[in-house]
């Protein structure tokens, strides 16, 4: 029995440090599904998702020597950051109309938060994925990644006010979709 536990991250970093041929395969095996999930929060199209994931691993493998281990969880945090940055880079380069402007017809405002206990995590995830890409990016960065609007503005090359506005609109649209989903579920 290992008294201090098995730290897979340190072991993986050690393999890279030794130039072990298994290092890339093991890192890919350890994080591919997780990073695919992270990227899929931003990129919907499967082919695009595969491209982003491939770029993500290329970046990880070429930059792993610059990674500084800072304790358990630091490698996972670093590869997650790389994945998010690659997904955002893809969105900035490929989404011509990433930012939705509802000047004509804004989404209905829902001041009270919808009850989500009746929905599964996969149903909520599916609803988030139906948000327009700009809304989805800001929503994920703010609500899931815990970034501030100032940080989001820097990441997406927008103003902090735009980030806050996009989040507010995303939240309202999501609330409306959740209520519609619940009504649909009740009628079934």
């Amino acid at each position: 029995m290992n008294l201090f536990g098995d730290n897979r991250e340190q072991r993986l970093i050690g393999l890279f440090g030794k130039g072990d041929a298994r290092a890339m395969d093991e890192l890919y095996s350890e994080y591919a599904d997780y990073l695919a999930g992270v990227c899929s929060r931003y990129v919907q199209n499967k082919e695009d998702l595969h491209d982003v994931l491939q770029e993500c691993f290329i970046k990880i493998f070429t930059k792993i020597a610059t990674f500084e281990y800072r304790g358990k969880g630091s490698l996972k945090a670093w590869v997650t950051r790389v994945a998010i940055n690659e997904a955002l880079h893809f969105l900035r380069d490929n989404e011509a109309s990433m930012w939705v402007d509802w000047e004509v017809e804004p989404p209905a405002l829902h001041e009270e938060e919808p009850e989500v206990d009746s929905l599964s995590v996969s149903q909520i995830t599916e609803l988030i994925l139906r948000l327009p890409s700009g809304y989805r990016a800001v929503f994920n960065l703010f609500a899931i990644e815990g970034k501030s609007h100032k940080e989001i503005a820097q990441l997406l090359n927008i103003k902090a006010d735009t980030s806050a506005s996009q989040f507010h609109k995303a939240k309202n649209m999501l609330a409306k979709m959740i209520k519609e989903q619940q009504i649909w579920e009740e009628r079934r």
Side-chain angles (χ1 to χ4, degrees):
M1 177 176 153
N2 186 345
L3 185 60
F4 299 105
D6 179 26
N7 189 334
R8 298 175 77 147
E9 290 183 336
Q10 275 186 307
R11 188 172 115 22
L12 275 170
I13 297 304
L15 289 175
F16 276 101
K18 295 176 190 173
D20 192 313
R22 298 174 296 169
M24 285 187 200
D25 288 339
E26 289 196 25
L27 188 135
Y28 182 85
S29 177
E30 182 76 19
Y31 293 108
D33 289 342
Y34 168 73
L35 293 179
V38 169
C39 290
S40 71
R41 293 195 316 245
Y42 299 90
V43 179
Q44 287 185 303
N45 179 289
K46 293 271 189 217
E47 290 175 12
D48 292 339
L49 177 62
H50 289 288
D51 291 345
V52 169
L53 201 54
Q54 180 178 351
E55 289 300 317
C56 175
F57 277 103
I58 289 170
K59 178 96 28 117
I60 289 169
F61 294 147
T62 58
K63 301 286 186 183
I64 192 82
T66 66
F67 170 73
E68 184 179 324
Y69 183 76
R70 294 189 174 154
K72 195 169 186 176
S74 62
L75 179 61
K76 185 175 185 178
W78 182 73
V79 298
T80 301
R81 204 167 39 253
V82 170
I84 291 169
N85 287 339
E86 285 302 309
L88 294 176
H89 179 74
F90 173 83
L91 288 177
R92 282 191 304 267
D93 288 352
N94 295 291
E95 294 286 333
S97 59
M98 187 168 164
W99 307 112
V100 177
D101 185 10
W102 292 100
E103 287 181 15
V104 178
E105 186 180 332
L109 297 178
H110 293 280
E111 295 304 323
E112 60 186 61
E113 304 253 339
E115 183 61 45
V116 295
D117 292 340
S118 64
L119 299 175
S120 69
V121 172
S122 63
Q123 287 174 311
I124 294 170
T125 301
E126 181 61 37
L127 293 174
I128 292 170
L129 290 174
R130 288 181 27 208
L131 291 170
S133 59
Y135 286 7
R136 192 173 59 252
V138 170
F139 184 86
N140 281 313
L141 288 168
F142 187 82
I144 297 173
E145 304 301 333
K147 302 283 186 197
S148 70
H149 289 299
K150 183 177 178 181
E151 292 170 312
I152 295 168
Q154 291 171 338
L155 284 169
L156 299 177
N157 215 13
I158 60 176
K159 295 178 182 176
D161 290 346
T162 302
S163 174
S165 172
Q166 294 287 300
F167 177 73
H168 181 71
K169 292 173 183 177
K171 191 174 161 185
N172 285 332
M173 183 178 271
L174 188 57
K176 181 180 178 193
M177 290 190 301
I178 288 171
K179 287 186 179 198
E180 289 170 355
Q181 177 76 23
Q182 290 169 334
I183 290 169
W184 185 80
E185 292 281 331
E186 289 172 4
R187 291 181 180 169
R188 282 192 332 162

